[in-house]
Amino acid sequence: MYQEEGSDEGTATLALKDINLEIKEGEFVSIIGPSGSGKSTLLQILGCLDRPTSGQYFLGGKEVSSYSDDELALLRNKTFGFVFQSFNLLGRQTVLENVKLPLIYANIAEPERTRLAQKTVKGVGLEDRAHYEASKLSGGQRQRVAVARALVNNPKIIFADEPTGNLDSKSGEVIFRFFEDLNKEGHTIVLVTHETYFAEFAERIIHLKDGSIEKIEKIVHRRFAWREGFHK
């Protein structure tokens, strides 16, 4: 359960309740639901950006509440990759410099930082923009930089919160092709979206409503960016 403090008279609101969910290693899962259903809150708890106010969350067989703050920080830096709708890039830094940031925090030495960053930038189709300042890029290109930055550490688990919300069709297709390739390599992907179309790129869809799981749907006919393109 996750309880949020309300803004009126100190009241509390249940953002999540009675969540019973297992995500297996290597799965591609979507979390879908209307605004206010608890999608982003659940993602933040799964990504150890927030803690549940009650209940238990096991990650790799270990209860998350037993992790120290330093252990959680290490998880977020080396095991998890986060892609958000807001880019949070350093505008005056180049594409390559933005993508290198997690490698600096992980104490990866040069020239390995440059090699890994160049490889990931190429993966999102921006090798020709590697030395452009982030502020000079289009919205779609900035989102691809944000994706590259999230993935440069080769995280085992990728959390993506509305990653295509501000993207054109071409940029969205590039990102989902990248997600598909990573999933084939064994990476776990947890995608939050409010659109069924995007949710169907996953193997399972977790439907949330009013903070609870309404149903869990297994996708028989998955969408694939390489096969269908990114067209509604």
Side-chain angles (χ1 to χ4, degrees):
M1 181 179 75
Y2 182 77
Q3 183 171 285
E4 293 181 330
E5 291 299 321
S7 57
D8 298 327
E9 301 179 358
T11 58
T13 302
L14 286 179
L16 295 172
K17 54 187 177 182
D18 301 325
I19 298 292
N20 187 1
L21 174 64
E22 179 183 4
I23 297 174
K24 296 179 181 178
E25 185 176 351
E27 266 199 291
F28 191 155
V29 173
S30 290
I31 301 171
I32 190 170
S35 297
S37 60
K39 303 186 302 297
S40 294
T41 301
L42 179 56
L43 190 79
Q44 289 169 358
I45 289 174
L46 293 175
C48 299
L49 298 173
D50 213 337
R51 294 177 184 265
T53 52
S54 66
Q56 292 179 301
Y57 170 28
F58 289 89
L59 179 66
K62 184 176 179 180
E63 217 285 316
V64 168
S65 65
S66 65
Y67 283 83
S68 68
D69 289 342
D70 287 344
E71 287 174 321
L72 289 175
L74 193 63
L75 272 176
R76 290 190 289 264
N77 183 256
K78 293 193 172 182
T79 302
F80 299 157
F82 298 94
V83 183
F84 298 106
Q85 189 171 352
S86 56
F87 313 127
N88 298 321
L89 302 179
L90 301 178
R92 294 188 177 182
Q93 300 294 310
T94 67
V95 168
L96 210 57
E97 288 167 339
N98 269 281
V99 175
K100 282 183 182 181
L101 280 175
L103 301 174
I104 295 172
Y105 298 141
N107 295 318
I108 304 296
E110 286 279 11
E112 182 68 1
R113 281 204 301 261
T114 297
R115 186 189 72 80
L116 290 172
Q118 287 174 333
K119 177 182 177 182
T120 313
V121 166
K122 183 177 181 180
V124 296
L126 286 177
E127 61 268 35
D128 61 337
R129 297 288 191 272
H131 299 289
Y132 280 50
E133 288 185 3
S135 61
K136 305 280 175 56
L137 303 177
S138 69
Q141 290 170 334
R142 288 199 297 273
Q143 182 63 301
R144 284 196 261 169
V145 177
V147 169
R149 184 183 57 191
L151 303 180
V152 71
N153 267 342
N154 196 31
K156 293 180 180 178
I157 306 172
I158 299 155
F159 298 103
D161 194 352
E162 302 282 6
T164 57
N166 296 317
L167 300 189
D168 56 60
S169 176
K170 180 179 178 182
S171 295
E173 184 174 347
V174 169
I175 287 174
F176 266 82
R177 280 176 181 259
F178 203 11
F179 283 167
E180 287 166 3
D181 288 343
L182 290 167
N183 187 231
K184 288 175 185 175
E185 294 171 5
H187 296 261
T188 305
I189 299 177
V190 182
L191 167 72
V192 161
T193 182
H194 65 279
E195 297 192 50
T196 302
Y197 176 87
F198 299 126
E200 289 177 351
F201 282 85
E203 299 167 80
R204 288 193 299 155
I205 301 178
I206 314 300
H207 293 261
L208 289 188
K209 183 178 180 181
D210 299 328
S212 296
I213 295 177
E214 186 177 36
K215 66 176 178 177
I216 299 178
E217 175 186 5
K218 183 173 177 61
I219 300 301
V220 178
H221 302 292
R222 289 177 64 189
R223 297 186 186 277
F224 291 97
W226 60 266
R227 183 180 65 200
E228 301 181 37
F230 217 69
H231 309 289
K232 293 186 180 181

